[in-house]
């Protein structure tokens, strides 16, 4: 007999495709499944990349993007949405329309702008559309230090006293809450600052020295969306997700991919 009372939570990830497997929809799917939900995946763009960075990006057409979303959403109910790389303004327009029409809950946006190697993952003219029209639909946005500086037009280095100022500045851009991530600072602890209407809260884990940092932002945002899909509070979702990321970073040295050039500096997958 089918049990209609209990269902496996579903998380829809809308993100880029990474053939190297460490970022975008691949790490999102791995994370969502590892945390006990079911991943639905809609691709915004195909990238070409490896441990040295992103060499090419091609957005999918608006037509197939819209069809991926509509076909899925006419059928499956979604408990949370993680949004990552959005590529351009046409795709953002479609996301906004779909989020509203299907009244999708628990929207977590990782405002991906650039790859570490400097490739644009969102076109410049789309940033304003994302901020003005997509941020207000989000339960949470999760910018890192570089993205926060780009969004605010500032040049902070992310020391603790600045993080709260930055977080409050980002909160004014319209999302329900902001998690300013501390992974890119030089502090010994990786401290993320949550700013929401009820105040500020910080989440801290020790910094893990590792080359396996490719996809950390994707992992964290999809883990938070998964916990929200399981009906946890925002604070518990962030706390558990940060611990999950810390555990995965600690265990990441077990992952041994073979490379053609072992002597080159690499940014490797987490798991
Ligand atoms: N590729 C995709 C599809 C991504 O979503 C992201 C980041 O979110 C990246 C690449 C960037 O990865 P990295 O931070 O390792 O440069």
């Amino acid at each position: 007999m089918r049990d209609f009372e209990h269902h496996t939570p579903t998380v829809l990830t809308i993100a880029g495709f990474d053939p190297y497997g460490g970022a975008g929809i691949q790490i999102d799917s791995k994370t969502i499944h590892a945390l006990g939900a079911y991943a639905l995946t809609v691709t915004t763009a195909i990238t070409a990349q490896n441990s040295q960075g992103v060499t090419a990006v091609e957005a999918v057409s608006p037509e197939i993007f819209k069809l991926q979303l509509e076909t899925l959403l006419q059928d499956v109910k979604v408990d949370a949405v993680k949004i990552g790389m959005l590529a351009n303004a046409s795709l953002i327009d479609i996301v906004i329309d779909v989020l509203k029409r299907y009244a999708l809950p628990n929207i977590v946006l990782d405002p991906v702008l650039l790859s570490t190697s400097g490739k644009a993952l969102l076109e410049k003219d789309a940033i304003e559309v994302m901020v003005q029209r997509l941020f207000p639909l989000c339960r949470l946005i999760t910018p890192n230090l570089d993205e926060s500086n780009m969004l605010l037009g500032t040049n902070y280095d992310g020391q603790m006293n600045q993080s709260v100022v930055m977080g409050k500045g980002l909160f004014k851009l319209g999302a329900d809450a902001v998690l300013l991530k501390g992974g890119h600072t030089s502090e010994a602890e990786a401290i993320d600052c949550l700013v929401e209407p009820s105040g500020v809260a910080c989440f801290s884990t020790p910094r893990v020295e590792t080359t396996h940092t490719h996809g950390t932002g994707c992992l964290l945002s999809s883990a938070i969306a998964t916990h929200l899909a399981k009906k946890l509070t925002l604070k518990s979702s962030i706390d558990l997700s940060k611990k999950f990321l810390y555990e995965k970073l600690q265990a990441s040295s077990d992952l041994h991919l073979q490379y053609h050039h072992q002597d080159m500096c690499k940014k490797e997958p987490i798991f």
Side-chain angles (χ1 to χ4, degrees), residues 42-43 60-74 90-91 94-95 97-98 101-102:
V42 166
T43 307
V60 301
S61 73
E63 291 74 26
I64 189 65
F65 181 64
K66 191 168 166 35
L67 272 172
Q68 289 182 76
L69 284 164
E70 296 281 1
T71 306
L72 204 53
L73 294 171
Q74 283 163 13
S90 309
L91 301 192
I94 294 167
V95 170
D97 171 56
V98 160
R101 258 190 308 114
Y102 289 89

Side-chain angles (χ1 to χ4, degrees), residues 200-238:
V200 177
C202 289
F203 302 83
S204 177
T205 47
R207 187 173 300 282
V208 180
E209 285 306 326
T210 176
T211 54
H212 295 264
T213 57
H214 177 51
T216 44
C218 303
L219 184 151
L220 188 75
S221 53
S222 51
I224 295 169
T226 306
H227 288 302
L228 290 174
K230 291 157 87 177
K231 300 194 182 345
L232 271 72
T233 64
L234 183 60
K235 280 197 180 117
S236 302
S237 298
I238 294 171

Side-chain angles (χ1 to χ4, degrees), residues 1-267:
M1 264 293 273
R2 234 189 126 155
D3 178 1
F4 288 102
E5 283 290 301
H6 300 100
H7 73 280
T8 304
T10 52
V11 181
L12 167 64
T13 164
I14 302 174
F17 179 86
D18 169 11
Y20 182 46
I25 56 174
Q26 282 88 341
I27 187 77
D28 292 346
S29 300
K30 289 188 238 185
T31 302
I32 294 162
H33 284 278
L35 294 173
Y38 184 86
L40 305 160
T41 60
V42 166
T43 307
T44 54
I46 310 291
T47 70
Q49 55 182 300
N50 60 22
S51 70
Q52 302 301 301
V54 178
T55 57
V57 170
E58 188 170 308
V60 301
S61 73
E63 291 74 26
I64 189 65
F65 181 64
K66 191 168 166 35
L67 272 172
Q68 289 182 76
L69 284 164
E70 296 281 1
T71 306
L72 204 53
L73 294 171
Q74 283 163 13
D75 190 34
V76 189
K77 281 195 183 174
V78 165
D79 296 304
V81 185
K82 176 256 152 102
I83 305 173
M85 174 185 176
L86 280 164
N88 61 46
S90 309
L91 301 192
I92 297 180
D93 278 339
I94 294 167
V95 170
I96 291 166
D97 171 56
V98 160
L99 293 177
K100 286 185 179 166
R101 258 190 308 114
Y102 289 89
L104 298 183
N106 298 318
I107 300 160
V108 178
L109 169 68
D110 186 15
V112 175
L113 301 178
L114 284 178
S115 72
T116 313
S117 50
K119 204 86 181 157
L121 300 178
L122 182 65
E123 288 176 5
K124 270 221 164 74
D125 65 351
I127 298 177
E128 205 177 309
V129 183
M130 178 178 76
V131 172
Q132 291 192 351
R133 298 183 37 228
L134 186 53
F135 277 17
L137 304 180
C138 295
R139 177 76 189 89
L140 181 73
I141 58 167
T142 62
N144 63 27
L145 180 62
D146 295 341
E147 289 154 359
S148 300
N149 274 321
M150 284 177 76
L151 291 167
L152 293 170
T154 51
N155 198 16
Y156 290 120
D157 62 14
Q159 282 172 9
M160 219 16 231
N161 55 344
Q162 298 174 346
S163 296
V164 176
V165 175
M166 287 182 96
K168 286 184 175 168
L170 290 160
F171 177 65
K172 287 190 188 137
L173 297 179
D176 288 354
V178 176
L179 185 71
L180 171 56
K181 295 175 293 190
H184 288 197
T185 69
S186 52
E187 313 257 346
E189 291 270 313
I191 304 169
D192 298 353
C193 279
L194 172 69
V195 181
E196 52 181 347
S198 59
V200 177
C202 289
F203 302 83
S204 177
T205 47
R207 187 173 300 282
V208 180
E209 285 306 326
T210 176
T211 54
H212 295 264
T213 57
H214 177 51
T216 44
C218 303
L219 184 151
L220 188 75
S221 53
S222 51
I224 295 169
T226 306
H227 288 302
L228 290 174
K230 291 157 87 177
K231 300 194 182 345
L232 271 72
T233 64
L234 183 60
K235 280 197 180 117
S236 302
S237 298
I238 294 171
D239 190 39
L240 289 173
S241 301
K242 193 139 166 83
K243 285 178 180 147
F244 180 72
L245 172 59
Y246 176 65
E247 282 161 20
K248 286 291 171 200
L249 285 171
Q250 274 190 313
S252 63
S253 54
D254 290 352
L255 181 65
H256 297 287
L257 301 187
Q258 275 204 312
Y259 294 92
H260 290 293
H261 305 283
Q262 294 296 347
D263 50 336
M264 280 161 89
C265 178
K266 295 175 181 32
K267 200 167 166 192

